[in-house]
Amino acid sequence: MTWIVGVYIVSLFLLLITAFWNVDPFTSRVSPGFNLDNFELVLTVPAYIATSIRTLLIALTVTLICILFAVPLGIYMAKIAKPWVRNLLAVAITLPLWAGYLVKIIAMRLVFTEEGFFNWAMAPFGIRGPGFSVPIVILTLTYLWFPYMALPVYTAIRQIPPNLFDASSDMGAKGFTTVNRVVFPLIVPAVIAGSVFTFSLSLGDYLAARFTGGATQMIGSIIAQNINLNPPVAAAYSMIPILFIVIYLMVARRTGSLERM
């Protein structure tokens, strides 16, 4: 509680205060004050709005991709795979967590660079990668945060009694129907828990866009650019991802999943 209140909450409060301060246009000196110009700027300038929407869509896309891969993978690991295969997949999922964050981003950059592995491997088929762009940013973020979705989903599926699968099969349900009507409702809390990580971490990331996105900018990119030039604008713009996360948590809470986590 001391850490959360004394460091995290107080830091956010100070960040909010800074968002109301002034910057001298000639000397770039920051002075305490109270005005809403910085918030008006981030809410009306088209570049800021476009970047906010782009970042939100990227975070939602990363979360959706992680869910689409984590659920079938979790079912296979928990209910189908042999023990040695399950252990091998568990290691494969957690292996990226052993490497440094920046190392993984640089690895993705090397794979998709113009002379990288992807273009080299696909050259015989006449296929070339999209280059550094939004799809590569999404792929990089999915690679970074997928374990945070896969592990809770796998744990939740493993706790589902096998007789529920047998009962579903006895009643004539096919595989997809079983997943949709039996498995998914039971693992919604785990999916929500994993999505909080994938969504919030993707929303606040900017190094992935910097190294693998080419000209793509995210909210974090603009904050990083303004942190020295115009700290109040950076502080005001920092409220946008916080607002997105609060709205996301409120929607998740409405589903009742947070209470069952």
Side-chain angles (χ1 to χ4, degrees), residues 11-12 14-23 28 30 35 37-43 48 51-52 203-204 206 218-243:
S11 298
L12 289 179
L14 295 176
L15 182 68
L16 178 61
I17 292 177
T18 306
F20 295 99
W21 288 6
N22 307 303
V23 175
S28 297
V30 179
N35 70 83
D37 294 344
N38 300 316
F39 290 99
E40 182 181 355
L41 184 69
V42 301
L43 293 175
Y48 289 129
T51 301
S52 299
L203 199 66
Y206 76 97
M218 298 178 66
I219 291 177
S221 307
I222 295 181
I223 293 174
Q225 292 170 5
N226 284 281
I227 196 66
N228 292 321
L229 299 176
N230 198 326
V233 170
Y237 203 37
S238 299
M239 297 296 111
I240 300 298
I242 294 176
L243 178 63

mmCIF file of all heavy atoms in Angstrom, residues 11-12 14-23 28 30 35 37-43 48 51-52 203-204 206 218-243:
data_model
loop_
_atom_site.group_PDB
_atom_site.id
_atom_site.type_symbol
_atom_site.label_atom_id
_atom_site.label_comp_id
_atom_site.label_asym_id
_atom_site.label_seq_id
_atom_site.Cartn_x
_atom_site.Cartn_y
_atom_site.Cartn_z
ATOM 1 N N SER A 11 2.555 9.902 -7.990
ATOM 2 C CA SER A 11 3.186 10.256 -9.267
ATOM 3 C C SER A 11 2.142 10.634 -10.312
ATOM 4 O O SER A 11 2.316 11.601 -11.062
ATOM 5 C CB SER A 11 4.035 9.087 -9.772
ATOM 6 O OG SER A 11 5.080 8.796 -8.869
ATOM 7 N N LEU A 12 1.050 9.869 -10.390
ATOM 8 C CA LEU A 12 -0.026 10.206 -11.320
ATOM 9 C C LEU A 12 -0.661 11.547 -10.972
ATOM 10 O O LEU A 12 -1.015 12.334 -11.860
ATOM 11 C CB LEU A 12 -1.084 9.100 -11.321
ATOM 12 C CG LEU A 12 -0.697 7.771 -11.957
ATOM 13 C CD1 LEU A 12 -1.840 6.773 -11.851
ATOM 14 C CD2 LEU A 12 -0.292 7.961 -13.415
ATOM 15 N N LEU A 14 0.833 14.099 -9.459
ATOM 16 C CA LEU A 14 1.780 15.145 -9.867
ATOM 17 C C LEU A 14 1.786 15.312 -11.385
ATOM 18 O O LEU A 14 1.941 16.434 -11.895
ATOM 19 C CB LEU A 14 3.184 14.807 -9.365
ATOM 20 C CG LEU A 14 3.359 14.783 -7.839
ATOM 21 C CD1 LEU A 14 4.777 14.346 -7.470
ATOM 22 C CD2 LEU A 14 3.057 16.155 -7.241
ATOM 23 N N LEU A 15 1.640 14.197 -12.105
ATOM 24 C CA LEU A 15 1.561 14.265 -13.562
ATOM 25 C C LEU A 15 0.342 15.074 -13.991
ATOM 26 O O LEU A 15 0.426 15.908 -14.906
ATOM 27 C CB LEU A 15 1.485 12.855 -14.148
ATOM 28 C CG LEU A 15 1.437 12.732 -15.673
ATOM 29 C CD1 LEU A 15 2.756 13.159 -16.288
ATOM 30 C CD2 LEU A 15 1.108 11.305 -16.091
ATOM 31 N N LEU A 16 -0.784 14.853 -13.329
ATOM 32 C CA LEU A 16 -1.997 15.596 -13.657
ATOM 33 C C LEU A 16 -1.818 17.083 -13.375
ATOM 34 O O LEU A 16 -2.261 17.929 -14.164
ATOM 35 C CB LEU A 16 -3.177 15.043 -12.854
ATOM 36 C CG LEU A 16 -4.521 15.746 -13.058
ATOM 37 C CD1 LEU A 16 -4.953 15.652 -14.512
ATOM 38 C CD2 LEU A 16 -5.579 15.144 -12.145
ATOM 39 N N ILE A 17 -1.164 17.417 -12.272
ATOM 40 C CA ILE A 17 -0.928 18.829 -11.941
ATOM 41 C C ILE A 17 -0.069 19.485 -13.016
ATOM 42 O O ILE A 17 -0.338 20.608 -13.464
ATOM 43 C CB ILE A 17 -0.257 18.946 -10.551
ATOM 44 C CG1 ILE A 17 -1.250 18.520 -9.463
ATOM 45 C CG2 ILE A 17 0.227 20.368 -10.306
ATOM 46 C CD1 ILE A 17 -0.656 18.540 -8.067
ATOM 47 N N THR A 18 0.980 18.767 -13.458
ATOM 48 C CA THR A 18 1.873 19.322 -14.472
ATOM 49 C C THR A 18 1.139 19.624 -15.771
ATOM 50 O O THR A 18 1.507 20.547 -16.502
ATOM 51 C CB THR A 18 3.021 18.337 -14.751
ATOM 52 O OG1 THR A 18 3.666 17.996 -13.520
ATOM 53 C CG2 THR A 18 4.053 18.943 -15.693
ATOM 54 N N ALA A 19 0.092 18.875 -16.055
ATOM 55 C CA ALA A 19 -0.656 19.075 -17.300
ATOM 56 C C ALA A 19 -1.325 20.443 -17.366
ATOM 57 O O ALA A 19 -1.670 20.908 -18.459
ATOM 58 C CB ALA A 19 -1.698 17.974 -17.461
ATOM 59 N N PHE A 20 -1.501 21.115 -16.212
ATOM 60 C CA PHE A 20 -2.140 22.431 -16.187
ATOM 61 C C PHE A 20 -1.117 23.569 -16.214
ATOM 62 O O PHE A 20 -1.520 24.740 -16.205
ATOM 63 C CB PHE A 20 -3.012 22.567 -14.933
ATOM 64 C CG PHE A 20 -4.185 21.625 -14.908
ATOM 65 C CD1 PHE A 20 -4.127 20.444 -14.191
ATOM 66 C CD2 PHE A 20 -5.338 21.917 -15.614
ATOM 67 C CE1 PHE A 20 -5.208 19.585 -14.158
ATOM 68 C CE2 PHE A 20 -6.426 21.066 -15.595
ATOM 69 C CZ PHE A 20 -6.363 19.885 -14.863
ATOM 70 N N TRP A 21 0.171 23.263 -16.224
ATOM 71 C CA TRP A 21 1.193 24.305 -16.159
ATOM 72 C C TRP A 21 1.399 24.967 -17.516
ATOM 73 O O TRP A 21 0.856 24.540 -18.538
ATOM 74 C CB TRP A 21 2.505 23.724 -15.646
ATOM 75 C CG TRP A 21 2.447 23.408 -14.161
ATOM 76 C CD1 TRP A 21 1.353 23.491 -13.354
ATOM 77 C CD2 TRP A 21 3.509 22.948 -13.349
ATOM 78 N NE1 TRP A 21 1.670 23.120 -12.079
ATOM 79 C CE2 TRP A 21 2.989 22.781 -12.039
ATOM 80 C CE3 TRP A 21 4.852 22.659 -13.567
ATOM 81 C CZ2 TRP A 21 3.768 22.343 -10.976
ATOM 82 C CZ3 TRP A 21 5.633 22.226 -12.513
ATOM 83 C CH2 TRP A 21 5.100 22.069 -11.225
ATOM 84 N N ASN A 22 2.225 26.018 -17.500
ATOM 85 C CA ASN A 22 2.467 26.814 -18.698
ATOM 86 C C ASN A 22 3.884 26.622 -19.205
ATOM 87 O O ASN A 22 4.797 26.287 -18.425
ATOM 88 C CB ASN A 22 2.240 28.310 -18.416
ATOM 89 C CG ASN A 22 0.882 28.588 -17.810
ATOM 90 O OD1 ASN A 22 -0.141 28.241 -18.390
ATOM 91 N ND2 ASN A 22 0.863 29.216 -16.632
ATOM 92 N N VAL A 23 4.070 26.843 -20.497
ATOM 93 C CA VAL A 23 5.394 26.811 -21.110
ATOM 94 C C VAL A 23 5.609 28.115 -21.869
ATOM 95 O O VAL A 23 4.769 28.500 -22.689
ATOM 96 C CB VAL A 23 5.545 25.618 -22.077
ATOM 97 C CG1 VAL A 23 6.884 25.678 -22.803
ATOM 98 C CG2 VAL A 23 5.420 24.316 -21.327
ATOM 99 N N SER A 28 10.916 28.220 -23.593
ATOM 100 C CA SER A 28 10.512 26.837 -23.287
ATOM 101 C C SER A 28 10.597 26.520 -21.802
ATOM 102 O O SER A 28 10.677 25.364 -21.407
ATOM 103 C CB SER A 28 11.377 25.838 -24.077
ATOM 104 O OG SER A 28 11.181 26.002 -25.459
ATOM 105 N N VAL A 30 9.179 26.037 -18.158
ATOM 106 C CA VAL A 30 7.917 25.604 -17.567
ATOM 107 C C VAL A 30 7.679 26.362 -16.270
ATOM 108 O O VAL A 30 8.577 26.470 -15.436
ATOM 109 C CB VAL A 30 7.913 24.086 -17.301
ATOM 110 C CG1 VAL A 30 6.596 23.658 -16.664
ATOM 111 C CG2 VAL A 30 8.154 23.318 -18.587
ATOM 112 N N ASN A 35 -4.173 26.287 -16.549
ATOM 113 C CA ASN A 35 -4.880 26.556 -17.787
ATOM 114 C C ASN A 35 -5.232 25.227 -18.452
ATOM 115 O O ASN A 35 -4.617 24.203 -18.171
ATOM 116 C CB ASN A 35 -4.054 27.437 -18.728
ATOM 117 C CG ASN A 35 -2.848 26.703 -19.289
ATOM 118 O OD1 ASN A 35 -2.971 25.975 -20.275
ATOM 119 N ND2 ASN A 35 -1.671 26.891 -18.671
ATOM 120 N N ASP A 37 -5.209 24.852 -21.790
ATOM 121 C CA ASP A 37 -4.718 24.901 -23.171
ATOM 122 C C ASP A 37 -4.107 23.581 -23.603
ATOM 123 O O ASP A 37 -4.257 23.163 -24.758
ATOM 124 C CB ASP A 37 -3.690 26.023 -23.334
ATOM 125 C CG ASP A 37 -4.318 27.401 -23.136
ATOM 126 O OD1 ASP A 37 -5.560 27.475 -23.181
ATOM 127 O OD2 ASP A 37 -3.574 28.385 -22.932
ATOM 128 N N ASN A 38 -3.392 22.927 -22.678
ATOM 129 C CA ASN A 38 -2.720 21.670 -23.043
ATOM 130 C C ASN A 38 -3.746 20.572 -23.353
ATOM 131 O O ASN A 38 -3.575 19.808 -24.304
ATOM 132 C CB ASN A 38 -1.800 21.221 -21.909
ATOM 133 C CG ASN A 38 -0.721 22.249 -21.609
ATOM 134 O OD1 ASN A 38 -0.108 22.799 -22.519
ATOM 135 N ND2 ASN A 38 -0.494 22.531 -20.329
ATOM 136 N N PHE A 39 -4.807 20.511 -22.558
ATOM 137 C CA PHE A 39 -5.859 19.527 -22.819
ATOM 138 C C PHE A 39 -6.616 19.864 -24.107
ATOM 139 O O PHE A 39 -6.983 18.973 -24.875
ATOM 140 C CB PHE A 39 -6.834 19.469 -21.640
ATOM 141 C CG PHE A 39 -6.244 18.863 -20.407
ATOM 142 C CD1 PHE A 39 -5.762 19.655 -19.386
ATOM 143 C CD2 PHE A 39 -6.170 17.483 -20.265
ATOM 144 C CE1 PHE A 39 -5.214 19.090 -18.248
ATOM 145 C CE2 PHE A 39 -5.633 16.908 -19.131
ATOM 146 C CZ PHE A 39 -5.144 17.715 -18.120
ATOM 147 N N GLU A 40 -6.844 21.158 -24.329
ATOM 148 C CA GLU A 40 -7.501 21.569 -25.567
ATOM 149 C C GLU A 40 -6.659 21.182 -26.777
ATOM 150 O O GLU A 40 -7.191 20.759 -27.810
ATOM 151 C CB GLU A 40 -7.732 23.082 -25.555
ATOM 152 C CG GLU A 40 -8.451 23.596 -26.790
ATOM 153 C CD GLU A 40 -8.638 25.092 -26.759
ATOM 154 O OE1 GLU A 40 -8.285 25.726 -25.731
ATOM 155 O OE2 GLU A 40 -9.122 25.648 -27.758
ATOM 156 N N LEU A 41 -5.341 21.290 -26.628
ATOM 157 C CA LEU A 41 -4.436 20.947 -27.719
ATOM 158 C C LEU A 41 -4.527 19.470 -28.084
ATOM 159 O O LEU A 41 -4.687 19.113 -29.254
ATOM 160 C CB LEU A 41 -2.998 21.316 -27.336
ATOM 161 C CG LEU A 41 -1.923 21.110 -28.397
ATOM 162 C CD1 LEU A 41 -2.113 22.105 -29.536
ATOM 163 C CD2 LEU A 41 -0.536 21.263 -27.783
ATOM 164 N N VAL A 42 -4.445 18.587 -27.076
ATOM 165 C CA VAL A 42 -4.431 17.153 -27.362
ATOM 166 C C VAL A 42 -5.797 16.633 -27.786
ATOM 167 O O VAL A 42 -5.900 15.547 -28.368
ATOM 168 C CB VAL A 42 -3.922 16.360 -26.136
ATOM 169 C CG1 VAL A 42 -2.528 16.802 -25.742
ATOM 170 C CG2 VAL A 42 -4.868 16.520 -24.949
ATOM 171 N N LEU A 43 -6.855 17.412 -27.523
ATOM 172 C CA LEU A 43 -8.205 16.966 -27.882
ATOM 173 C C LEU A 43 -8.722 17.575 -29.179
ATOM 174 O O LEU A 43 -9.786 17.174 -29.672
ATOM 175 C CB LEU A 43 -9.188 17.295 -26.750
ATOM 176 C CG LEU A 43 -8.992 16.541 -25.430
ATOM 177 C CD1 LEU A 43 -9.953 17.046 -24.377
ATOM 178 C CD2 LEU A 43 -9.142 15.038 -25.624
ATOM 179 N N TYR A 48 -2.900 14.589 -32.966
ATOM 180 C CA TYR A 48 -3.041 13.937 -31.669
ATOM 181 C C TYR A 48 -4.232 12.982 -31.660
ATOM 182 O O TYR A 48 -4.163 11.876 -31.110
ATOM 183 C CB TYR A 48 -3.194 14.977 -30.556
ATOM 184 C CG TYR A 48 -1.933 15.744 -30.252
ATOM 185 C CD1 TYR A 48 -1.934 17.136 -30.196
ATOM 186 C CD2 TYR A 48 -0.741 15.088 -30.004
ATOM 187 C CE1 TYR A 48 -0.780 17.844 -29.908
ATOM 188 C CE2 TYR A 48 0.423 15.783 -29.712
ATOM 189 C CZ TYR A 48 0.392 17.164 -29.667
ATOM 190 O OH TYR A 48 1.542 17.861 -29.384
ATOM 191 N N THR A 51 -3.419 9.860 -33.730
ATOM 192 C CA THR A 51 -2.479 8.987 -33.018
ATOM 193 C C THR A 51 -3.179 8.244 -31.890
ATOM 194 O O THR A 51 -2.911 7.056 -31.660
ATOM 195 C CB THR A 51 -1.311 9.815 -32.464
ATOM 196 O OG1 THR A 51 -0.644 10.487 -33.541
ATOM 197 C CG2 THR A 51 -0.310 8.918 -31.746
ATOM 198 N N SER A 52 -4.080 8.914 -31.189
ATOM 199 C CA SER A 52 -4.817 8.265 -30.102
ATOM 200 C C SER A 52 -5.673 7.119 -30.637
ATOM 201 O O SER A 52 -5.689 6.021 -30.068
ATOM 202 C CB SER A 52 -5.707 9.285 -29.382
ATOM 203 O OG SER A 52 -4.926 10.321 -28.814
ATOM 204 N N LEU A 203 -0.939 -0.346 -25.160
ATOM 205 C CA LEU A 203 -1.359 1.050 -25.204
ATOM 206 C C LEU A 203 -0.224 1.985 -24.787
ATOM 207 O O LEU A 203 -0.094 3.081 -25.329
ATOM 208 C CB LEU A 203 -2.568 1.245 -24.280
ATOM 209 C CG LEU A 203 -3.435 2.475 -24.501
ATOM 210 C CD1 LEU A 203 -4.141 2.393 -25.846
ATOM 211 C CD2 LEU A 203 -4.460 2.603 -23.376
ATOM 212 N N GLY A 204 0.589 1.553 -23.834
ATOM 213 C CA GLY A 204 1.655 2.416 -23.342
ATOM 214 C C GLY A 204 2.991 2.234 -24.035
ATOM 215 O O GLY A 204 3.946 2.951 -23.737
ATOM 216 N N TYR A 206 5.890 2.343 -26.935
ATOM 217 C CA TYR A 206 6.262 3.197 -28.065
ATOM 218 C C TYR A 206 7.564 2.762 -28.731
ATOM 219 O O TYR A 206 7.826 3.118 -29.873
ATOM 220 C CB TYR A 206 6.375 4.655 -27.625
ATOM 221 C CG TYR A 206 7.625 4.995 -26.853
ATOM 222 C CD1 TYR A 206 8.735 5.551 -27.491
ATOM 223 C CD2 TYR A 206 7.710 4.771 -25.486
ATOM 224 C CE1 TYR A 206 9.876 5.880 -26.791
ATOM 225 C CE2 TYR A 206 8.841 5.092 -24.771
ATOM 226 C CZ TYR A 206 9.925 5.656 -25.424
ATOM 227 O OH TYR A 206 11.057 5.964 -24.723
ATOM 228 N N MET A 218 2.743 6.223 -32.006
ATOM 229 C CA MET A 218 1.749 5.866 -31.007
ATOM 230 C C MET A 218 1.734 6.954 -29.940
ATOM 231 O O MET A 218 2.541 7.891 -29.979
ATOM 232 C CB MET A 218 2.058 4.492 -30.409
ATOM 233 C CG MET A 218 2.031 3.369 -31.439
ATOM 234 S SD MET A 218 2.456 1.742 -30.766
ATOM 235 C CE MET A 218 1.070 1.435 -29.660
ATOM 236 N N ILE A 219 0.829 6.829 -28.995
ATOM 237 C CA ILE A 219 0.715 7.848 -27.944
ATOM 238 C C ILE A 219 2.046 8.029 -27.228
ATOM 239 O O ILE A 219 2.491 9.155 -26.984
ATOM 240 C CB ILE A 219 -0.395 7.464 -26.952
ATOM 241 C CG1 ILE A 219 -1.759 7.565 -27.628
ATOM 242 C CG2 ILE A 219 -0.351 8.355 -25.724
ATOM 243 C CD1 ILE A 219 -2.920 7.129 -26.758
ATOM 244 N N GLY A 220 2.681 6.912 -26.901
ATOM 245 C CA GLY A 220 3.965 6.991 -26.208
ATOM 246 C C GLY A 220 5.030 7.706 -27.008
ATOM 247 O O GLY A 220 5.925 8.354 -26.442
ATOM 248 N N SER A 221 4.959 7.611 -28.338
ATOM 249 C CA SER A 221 5.939 8.272 -29.191
ATOM 250 C C SER A 221 5.859 9.790 -29.029
ATOM 251 O O SER A 221 6.880 10.476 -28.893
ATOM 252 C CB SER A 221 5.711 7.900 -30.660
ATOM 253 O OG SER A 221 5.664 6.503 -30.838
ATOM 254 N N ILE A 222 4.646 10.322 -29.044
ATOM 255 C CA ILE A 222 4.466 11.772 -28.910
ATOM 256 C C ILE A 222 4.805 12.237 -27.499
ATOM 257 O O ILE A 222 5.384 13.315 -27.308
ATOM 258 C CB ILE A 222 3.023 12.149 -29.289
ATOM 259 C CG1 ILE A 222 2.795 11.850 -30.775
ATOM 260 C CG2 ILE A 222 2.740 13.608 -28.983
ATOM 261 C CD1 ILE A 222 1.425 12.210 -31.279
ATOM 262 N N ILE A 223 4.473 11.425 -26.500
ATOM 263 C CA ILE A 223 4.835 11.782 -25.127
ATOM 264 C C ILE A 223 6.347 11.853 -24.995
ATOM 265 O O ILE A 223 6.892 12.791 -24.382
ATOM 266 C CB ILE A 223 4.238 10.764 -24.141
ATOM 267 C CG1 ILE A 223 2.712 10.860 -24.133
ATOM 268 C CG2 ILE A 223 4.783 10.992 -22.735
ATOM 269 C CD1 ILE A 223 2.033 9.802 -23.297
ATOM 270 N N ALA A 224 7.051 10.872 -25.559
ATOM 271 C CA ALA A 224 8.506 10.859 -25.482
ATOM 272 C C ALA A 224 9.118 12.061 -26.200
ATOM 273 O O ALA A 224 10.129 12.620 -25.752
ATOM 274 C CB ALA A 224 9.057 9.565 -26.078
ATOM 275 N N GLN A 225 8.515 12.482 -27.307
ATOM 276 C CA GLN A 225 9.026 13.627 -28.040
ATOM 277 C C GLN A 225 8.835 14.938 -27.275
ATOM 278 O O GLN A 225 9.634 15.864 -27.396
ATOM 279 C CB GLN A 225 8.330 13.726 -29.401
ATOM 280 C CG GLN A 225 8.674 12.597 -30.355
ATOM 281 C CD GLN A 225 7.789 12.604 -31.588
ATOM 282 O OE1 GLN A 225 6.979 13.502 -31.790
ATOM 283 N NE2 GLN A 225 7.942 11.579 -32.431
ATOM 284 N N ASN A 226 7.768 15.017 -26.491
ATOM 285 C CA ASN A 226 7.438 16.271 -25.799
ATOM 286 C C ASN A 226 7.929 16.326 -24.362
ATOM 287 O O ASN A 226 7.791 17.367 -23.718
ATOM 288 C CB ASN A 226 5.921 16.493 -25.804
ATOM 289 C CG ASN A 226 5.411 16.954 -27.144
ATOM 290 O OD1 ASN A 226 5.529 18.123 -27.509
ATOM 291 N ND2 ASN A 226 4.842 16.041 -27.906
ATOM 292 N N ILE A 227 8.476 15.226 -23.866
ATOM 293 C CA ILE A 227 8.814 15.181 -22.444
ATOM 294 C C ILE A 227 9.858 16.221 -22.065
ATOM 295 O O ILE A 227 9.874 16.735 -20.942
ATOM 296 C CB ILE A 227 9.295 13.760 -22.054
ATOM 297 C CG1 ILE A 227 9.280 13.587 -20.541
ATOM 298 C CG2 ILE A 227 10.687 13.480 -22.605
ATOM 299 C CD1 ILE A 227 7.906 13.615 -19.939
ATOM 300 N N ASN A 228 10.750 16.574 -22.996
ATOM 301 C CA ASN A 228 11.750 17.613 -22.738
ATOM 302 C C ASN A 228 11.357 18.956 -23.345
ATOM 303 O O ASN A 228 11.643 20.008 -22.778
ATOM 304 C CB ASN A 228 13.115 17.182 -23.292
ATOM 305 C CG ASN A 228 13.699 16.006 -22.539
ATOM 306 O OD1 ASN A 228 13.584 15.912 -21.314
ATOM 307 N ND2 ASN A 228 14.321 15.082 -23.262
ATOM 308 N N LEU A 229 10.702 18.923 -24.518
ATOM 309 C CA LEU A 229 10.336 20.161 -25.194
ATOM 310 C C LEU A 229 9.147 20.842 -24.541
ATOM 311 O O LEU A 229 9.130 22.064 -24.389
ATOM 312 C CB LEU A 229 10.024 19.874 -26.673
ATOM 313 C CG LEU A 229 11.164 19.301 -27.511
ATOM 314 C CD1 LEU A 229 10.664 18.976 -28.917
ATOM 315 C CD2 LEU A 229 12.316 20.300 -27.584
ATOM 316 N N ASN A 230 8.141 20.050 -24.163
ATOM 317 C CA ASN A 230 6.917 20.616 -23.602
ATOM 318 C C ASN A 230 6.309 19.639 -22.599
ATOM 319 O O ASN A 230 5.335 18.941 -22.904
ATOM 320 C CB ASN A 230 5.920 20.908 -24.728
ATOM 321 C CG ASN A 230 4.841 21.880 -24.300
ATOM 322 O OD1 ASN A 230 4.413 21.890 -23.155
ATOM 323 N ND2 ASN A 230 4.386 22.707 -25.234
ATOM 324 N N PRO A 231 6.865 19.574 -21.392
ATOM 325 C CA PRO A 231 6.377 18.614 -20.396
ATOM 326 C C PRO A 231 4.887 18.727 -20.085
ATOM 327 O O PRO A 231 4.233 17.693 -19.909
ATOM 328 C CB PRO A 231 7.238 18.927 -19.164
ATOM 329 C CG PRO A 231 8.485 19.532 -19.724
ATOM 330 C CD PRO A 231 8.049 20.317 -20.920
ATOM 331 N N PRO A 232 4.297 19.928 -20.004
ATOM 332 C CA PRO A 232 2.854 19.976 -19.738
ATOM 333 C C PRO A 232 2.010 19.298 -20.814
ATOM 334 O O PRO A 232 1.017 18.633 -20.501
ATOM 335 C CB PRO A 232 2.557 21.485 -19.668
ATOM 336 C CG PRO A 232 3.840 22.094 -19.228
ATOM 337 C CD PRO A 232 4.894 21.275 -19.921
ATOM 338 N N VAL A 233 2.393 19.465 -22.094
ATOM 339 C CA VAL A 233 1.658 18.785 -23.162
ATOM 340 C C VAL A 233 1.834 17.278 -23.042
ATOM 341 O O VAL A 233 0.879 16.508 -23.221
ATOM 342 C CB VAL A 233 2.124 19.279 -24.544
ATOM 343 C CG1 VAL A 233 1.555 18.403 -25.657
ATOM 344 C CG2 VAL A 233 1.701 20.721 -24.759
ATOM 345 N N ALA A 234 3.052 16.836 -22.732
ATOM 346 C CA ALA A 234 3.295 15.410 -22.543
ATOM 347 C C ALA A 234 2.458 14.868 -21.392
ATOM 348 O O ALA A 234 1.882 13.775 -21.474
ATOM 349 C CB ALA A 234 4.780 15.166 -22.280
ATOM 350 N N ALA A 235 2.350 15.647 -20.304
ATOM 351 C CA ALA A 235 1.546 15.220 -19.161
ATOM 352 C C ALA A 235 0.068 15.163 -19.514
ATOM 353 O O ALA A 235 -0.643 14.224 -19.130
ATOM 354 C CB ALA A 235 1.772 16.172 -17.988
ATOM 355 N N ALA A 236 -0.408 16.177 -20.270
ATOM 356 C CA ALA A 236 -1.816 16.182 -20.673
ATOM 357 C C ALA A 236 -2.118 15.012 -21.593
ATOM 358 O O ALA A 236 -3.162 14.355 -21.459
ATOM 359 C CB ALA A 236 -2.142 17.506 -21.359
ATOM 360 N N TYR A 237 -1.204 14.709 -22.506
ATOM 361 C CA TYR A 237 -1.431 13.611 -23.440
ATOM 362 C C TYR A 237 -1.345 12.261 -22.736
ATOM 363 O O TYR A 237 -1.943 11.276 -23.195
ATOM 364 C CB TYR A 237 -0.418 13.683 -24.581
ATOM 365 C CG TYR A 237 -0.865 12.982 -25.837
ATOM 366 C CD1 TYR A 237 -2.189 13.013 -26.249
ATOM 367 C CD2 TYR A 237 0.039 12.286 -26.633
ATOM 368 C CE1 TYR A 237 -2.603 12.379 -27.405
ATOM 369 C CE2 TYR A 237 -0.357 11.657 -27.794
ATOM 370 C CZ TYR A 237 -1.682 11.701 -28.173
ATOM 371 O OH TYR A 237 -2.096 11.065 -29.312
ATOM 372 N N SER A 238 -0.623 12.210 -21.625
ATOM 373 C CA SER A 238 -0.534 10.972 -20.849
ATOM 374 C C SER A 238 -1.866 10.592 -20.227
ATOM 375 O O SER A 238 -2.077 9.431 -19.862
ATOM 376 C CB SER A 238 0.521 11.118 -19.746
ATOM 377 O OG SER A 238 1.803 11.371 -20.283
ATOM 378 N N MET A 239 -2.748 11.553 -20.101
ATOM 379 C CA MET A 239 -4.065 11.265 -19.545
ATOM 380 C C MET A 239 -4.916 10.434 -20.504
ATOM 381 O O MET A 239 -5.843 9.742 -20.077
ATOM 382 C CB MET A 239 -4.801 12.569 -19.216
ATOM 383 C CG MET A 239 -4.138 13.429 -18.147
ATOM 384 S SD MET A 239 -4.079 12.633 -16.524
ATOM 385 C CE MET A 239 -2.300 12.330 -16.378
ATOM 386 N N ILE A 240 -4.616 10.512 -21.809
ATOM 387 C CA ILE A 240 -5.415 9.788 -22.800
ATOM 388 C C ILE A 240 -5.330 8.274 -22.594
ATOM 389 O O ILE A 240 -6.366 7.600 -22.494
ATOM 390 C CB ILE A 240 -5.004 10.180 -24.227
ATOM 391 C CG1 ILE A 240 -5.197 11.684 -24.452
ATOM 392 C CG2 ILE A 240 -5.787 9.374 -25.254
ATOM 393 C CD1 ILE A 240 -6.627 12.145 -24.324
ATOM 394 N N PRO A 241 -4.108 7.666 -22.548
ATOM 395 C CA PRO A 241 -4.069 6.208 -22.301
ATOM 396 C C PRO A 241 -4.626 5.820 -20.946
ATOM 397 O O PRO A 241 -5.234 4.746 -20.801
ATOM 398 C CB PRO A 241 -2.578 5.867 -22.424
ATOM 399 C CG PRO A 241 -1.858 7.149 -22.237
ATOM 400 C CD PRO A 241 -2.763 8.210 -22.786
ATOM 401 N N ILE A 242 -4.446 6.687 -19.937
ATOM 402 C CA ILE A 242 -5.030 6.402 -18.627
ATOM 403 C C ILE A 242 -6.551 6.362 -18.736
ATOM 404 O O ILE A 242 -7.211 5.476 -18.163
ATOM 405 C CB ILE A 242 -4.580 7.455 -17.594
ATOM 406 C CG1 ILE A 242 -3.067 7.347 -17.358
ATOM 407 C CG2 ILE A 242 -5.340 7.287 -16.281
ATOM 408 C CD1 ILE A 242 -2.515 8.409 -16.435
ATOM 409 N N LEU A 243 -7.120 7.300 -19.493
ATOM 410 C CA LEU A 243 -8.566 7.312 -19.707
ATOM 411 C C LEU A 243 -9.024 6.069 -20.439
ATOM 412 O O LEU A 243 -10.048 5.460 -20.071
ATOM 413 C CB LEU A 243 -8.952 8.568 -20.498
ATOM 414 C CG LEU A 243 -10.437 8.722 -20.855
ATOM 415 C CD1 LEU A 243 -11.275 8.837 -19.582
ATOM 416 C CD2 LEU A 243 -10.646 9.942 -21.740
#
